[in-house]
Amino acid sequence: MRSAPAVLRTALAATLLGALTAGCSTGDGTDGGAGTGPGSSTSGAAKPGRYSALPEPCGSVSESTLRRVLPDAAPEAYHGTPAVTYDTGRRGGCSWQGTDAETGSTLQLSVDFERVISYDPEVSDDDRAALDFTARAVAAGLPDPDAPQDDTGGDTASGDQEQDQNQEQDQEPEPNGADTPGGTDSEGEPVPRTVSGIGSDAYLDDRLSSTAAGARRDVTLAFRSANVIATVHYTQITPGSDTPPASTPLQDGAQRVGRHLAGGFDD
């Protein structure tokens, strides 16, 4: 018969062996450490965008605003025509059309919303939208903010220029969100420019063209609010006239609609 100490030693050895075996067989192949396996990264993913849905496009512009930019449209025209989209949570749009009783020209308005989603875990939806918006602005003709700066002017010249700019800023009143007219090209047509007071970032593009239907002016106002990019297109087509549509009323109308839309976001 085995002695009591021998039996006790055998039981302890069996218990220790069982514990070691269980420790090696559990876990995920990384020494049994919790939270270190695939799909359990310790680095935090980028934050999701502020907005998880889009406004209803045809209801995004109030009837009073529509009557300002499309003053002579038929009553049913103010209902709008929704754009065809296959994912209303990511993209949506609406269009309206009317006439200008004084000139007989056609007026068209459309709005488009895009909710940007980043598929890069290190880039947030808001940051991806900012990058996309900058790319659109550059494509429209605005300066690339990432382009290298020309430093050939020298320290003295740049210092004098900076001092002059500071003096001009001291003399000018604050814009308070109001837009100021931009420059023109060699033909006297407006050039693309940024617009203040609408969303986080905004720009305006004004283009004149000729079509078989007559002279046409398209004004585009685009702005970004967090991870949503909104675009307003305001167009006037004047048939059988050598006088092109005026720029100022269309720019004012596009900005009016843009400010109205931006007011629905909480930037």
Side-chain angles (χ1 to χ4, degrees):
M1 177 180 297
R2 300 172 63 184
S3 63
V7 173
L8 180 59
R9 287 195 298 271
T10 301
L12 289 174
T15 301
L16 179 60
L17 178 61
L20 291 174
T21 302
C24 293
S25 61
T26 59
D28 51 17
T30 53
D31 297 331
T36 58
S40 57
S41 174
T42 57
S43 61
K47 295 175 60 177
R50 180 182 304 176
Y51 302 111
S52 58
L54 292 174
E56 198 287 307
C58 290
S60 62
V61 184
S62 67
E63 185 170 333
S64 61
T65 300
L66 289 172
R67 289 185 180 276
R68 294 291 296 270
V69 297
L70 303 173
D72 301 308
E76 59 272 15
Y78 295 123
H79 298 160
T81 302
V84 177
T85 179
Y86 300 98
D87 186 352
T88 55
R90 291 287 305 277
R91 195 74 180 258
C94 190
S95 61
W96 301 262
Q97 180 168 306
T99 57
D100 185 332
E102 293 184 1
T103 63
S105 60
T106 299
L107 292 170
Q108 299 171 344
L109 174 71
S110 68
V111 298
D112 176 86
F113 297 103
E114 179 185 0
R115 184 169 65 91
V116 178
I117 297 178
S118 172
Y119 295 99
D120 186 340
E122 297 183 356
V123 180
S124 69
D125 293 347
D126 292 6
D127 289 342
R128 171 52 59 188
L131 293 171
D132 290 353
F133 186 82
T134 298
R136 293 189 187 190
V138 171
L142 275 77
D144 186 350
D146 296 327
Q149 300 297 317
D150 185 6
D151 296 331
T152 59
D155 295 339
T156 302
S158 61
D160 293 341
Q161 183 179 10
E162 181 178 357
Q163 182 178 0
D164 293 341
Q165 291 175 347
N166 291 336
Q167 290 176 352
E168 292 177 359
Q169 291 174 357
D170 292 339
Q171 295 172 358
E172 294 176 353
E174 291 294 327
N176 293 326
D179 183 47
T180 55
T184 58
D185 59 17
S186 59
E187 298 181 355
E189 282 298 308
V191 296
R193 71 182 192 277
T194 59
V195 178
S196 61
I198 302 179
S200 304
D201 309 284
Y203 71 85
L204 186 144
D205 187 13
D206 184 334
R207 296 181 183 270
L208 179 66
S209 61
S210 297
T211 67
R216 175 185 179 120
R217 186 178 293 277
D218 295 278
V219 173
T220 299
L221 174 77
F223 71 89
R224 179 184 69 86
S225 181
N227 61 314
V228 173
I229 297 176
T231 307
V232 177
H233 296 287
Y234 191 27
T235 300
Q236 182 174 358
I237 303 172
T238 305
S241 175
D242 295 332
T243 303
S247 175
T248 300
L250 290 176
Q251 290 198 20
D252 290 347
Q255 291 178 79
R256 179 185 297 276
V257 176
R259 285 191 294 269
H260 178 80
L261 296 178
F265 297 93
D266 58 359
D267 271 356

